Amino acid sequence: MARRLIWSVEARNSRKSIFDYWNNRNKSKVYSRKLNLLFNTNLKIVIQLPESGKPTFREDTKFIIVSHFEVFYKITPNEIVVLDIWDTRQNPENFQIK
C-alpha cells in the first residue's frame, strides 16, 4: 500500500512564497508550473522509495534535492509529510526546520 502525500502548513506556505516570487520576477507562471511539476514528480518517487532521501540531523526527517531546493519530509507508516521547502541559494543560518 502506497503512502499518502501530505503537505504541512509550513511547506504549503514556502511553496506559495516560492511560486509568488518567481511569478512576480518573471511576470509569468511558466517557471512556477515547471517547479511544481518537478516537486510533484520527485515526491512521487519518494512515495515509492521513502528511504531514498538524504538523512538530516533529525532521525525521522529526510530531504531530497529538487533543482535549487531541498524538500524536507517525514516518513510515517501511512504518510509522507512534506515539512518544508528551502531554497539552497539562501543563507542556511536563516533556515530552521520546524
Side-chain angles (χ1 to χ4, degrees):
M1 182 171 135
R3 291 177 169 93
R4 291 182 335 156
L5 183 66
I6 305 294
W7 287 80
S8 70
V9 172
E10 292 86 2
R12 285 189 304 235
N13 290 339
S14 293
R15 183 176 59 177
K16 183 181 180 325
S17 295
I18 290 165
F19 294 162
D20 288 347
Y21 170 80
W22 286 107
N23 293 345
N24 185 48
R25 182 167 188 249
N26 295 339
K27 308 296 185 225
S28 168
K29 294 183 178 180
V30 172
Y31 183 66
S32 293
R33 287 185 185 125
K34 287 181 182 179
L35 272 179
N36 195 45
L37 182 62
L38 276 174
F39 290 149
N40 291 334
T41 301
N42 282 278
L43 287 168
K44 284 180 184 177
I45 295 169
V46 168
I47 290 170
Q48 297 302 315
L49 302 166
E51 297 296 332
S52 64
K54 297 179 185 280
T56 67
F57 63 93
R58 290 175 50 178
E59 187 176 316
D60 64 342
T61 304
K62 294 188 176 288
F63 74 96
I64 56 170
I65 298 172
V66 178
S67 185
H68 295 286
F69 302 92
E70 292 177 349
V71 180
F72 291 85
Y73 64 94
K74 179 179 179 175
I75 304 167
T76 71
N78 299 316
E79 301 170 336
I80 300 294
V81 181
V82 180
L83 300 173
D84 213 344
I85 302 173
W86 172 251
D87 187 332
T88 60
R89 296 168 288 188
Q90 299 179 50
N91 183 346
E93 292 178 5
N94 296 336
F95 181 68
Q96 291 191 352
I97 196 155
K98 296 167 179 78

